[in-house]
């Protein structure tokens, strides 16, 4: 596995570690996303939080895995911010981590507030009014009546709305800046932009 990752990064794509809070939804979505973007799966290692759900705990886990494994170039934490603890996680993420090659990087925190389902909802509609995780899930099920967190095809179910979701997420950032509100919010559009950039530089 390690050799496969090294080979993948030699082909240009940075070896990327992604720690997800969710056991199924986020990993399944990101695998589908990587396939959609044409990113070699050998270059991306996805792990769930395995019971760690708070943003700060996930950043600690990501830092530990990045430094102990040492074969990665980039590291992301995909988490929900609805339960709080994001400020502490962002602060910890700013402390650089070092890989085997002696290169340093920072953990990039990709949060969705209140939940990842809010990001999925943006594939179908624009929403700027605050909502709970329960409400985000309820509204998502208006569009995806058979949505289940464990569905391995979650990305394929929303794929046609991906570009609109990215546009809506960026529009939402502008709206939040204007109003001073903190939620709802998601960093997933920025995460996708970074993945695309890594893919483009690998293709050069």
């Amino acid at each position: 596995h390690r050799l496969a990752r090294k080979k993948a990064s030699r082909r240009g794509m940075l070896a990327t570690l992604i720690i997800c809070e969710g056991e199924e939804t986020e990993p399944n979505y990101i695998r589908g996303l990587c396939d959609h973007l044409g990113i070699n799966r050998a270059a991306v290692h996805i792990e769930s939080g395995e019971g760690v759900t708070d943003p700060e705990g996930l950043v600690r886990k990501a830092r530990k895995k990045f430094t102990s494994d040492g074969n990665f170039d980039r590291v992301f934490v995909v988490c929900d911010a609805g339960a709080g603890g994001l400020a502490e996680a962002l602060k910890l993420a700013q402390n650089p981590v070092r890989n085997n090659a002696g290169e340093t990087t920072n953990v990039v925190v990709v949060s969705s507030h209140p939940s990842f389902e809010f990001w999925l909802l943006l594939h179908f509609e624009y929403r700027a009014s605050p909502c709970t995780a329960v409400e985000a899930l309820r509204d998502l099920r208006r569009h995806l009546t058979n949505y289940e967190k464990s569905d391995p095809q979650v990305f394929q179910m929303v794929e046609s709305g991906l570009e609109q979701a990215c546009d809506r997420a960026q529009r939402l950032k502008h709206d939040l800046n204007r109003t001073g509100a903190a939620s709802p919010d998601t960093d997933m559009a920025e995460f996708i932009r970074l993945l695309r950039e890594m893919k483009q530089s690998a293709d050069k």
Side-chain angles (χ1 to χ4, degrees), residues 23-25 28 117 141 147-154:
E23 301 283 325
E24 297 177 295
T25 314
N28 287 335
E117 276 77 20
R141 285 198 170 126
Y147 171 76
E148 292 300 332
K149 281 179 177 288
S150 58
D151 198 318
Q153 299 294 309
V154 61

Side-chain angles (χ1 to χ4, degrees), residues 124 138-148 157:
F124 299 97
R138 180 200 64 201
D139 292 347
L140 175 63
R141 285 198 170 126
R142 285 187 183 141
H143 300 281
L144 289 178
T145 47
N146 57 347
Y147 171 76
E148 292 300 332
M157 289 157 70

Side-chain angles (χ1 to χ4, degrees), residues 5-137:
R5 278 214 312 272
K6 277 194 166 152
K7 228 161 60 190
S9 60
R10 265 200 223 104
R11 280 213 293 274
M13 178 76 186
L14 295 174
T16 303
L17 170 64
I18 302 171
I19 304 287
C20 297
E21 175 184 331
E23 301 283 325
E24 297 177 295
T25 314
E26 293 94 326
N28 287 335
Y29 180 94
I30 292 166
R31 284 186 198 105
L33 173 67
C34 286
D35 291 347
H36 172 81
L37 297 177
I39 290 170
N40 175 358
R41 278 206 192 183
V44 178
H45 180 72
I46 303 167
E47 272 191 29
S48 76
E50 295 166 336
V52 180
T53 56
D54 63 295
E56 189 179 359
L58 290 162
V59 171
R60 283 189 200 287
K61 182 181 167 78
R63 289 173 60 83
K64 191 175 172 189
K65 173 80 179 172
F66 187 87
T67 49
S68 64
D69 184 303
N71 283 314
F72 297 105
D73 304 298
R74 297 293 300 271
V75 55
F76 295 91
V77 163
V78 177
C79 63
D80 294 349
L86 185 63
E88 294 82 354
L90 290 171
K91 196 172 166 188
L92 180 62
Q94 283 167 5
N95 296 341
V97 280
R98 189 181 296 270
N99 64 12
N100 280 352
E103 297 157 337
T104 57
T105 189
N106 295 81
V107 177
V108 178
V109 178
V110 181
S111 69
S112 295
H113 197 305
S115 62
F116 191 75
E117 276 77 20
F118 174 73
W119 161 246
L120 297 179
L121 179 62
L122 288 181
H123 290 66
F124 299 97
E125 63 175 82
Y126 181 69
R127 168 72 58 86
S129 54
C131 59
T132 63
V134 170
E135 288 164 343
L137 179 58

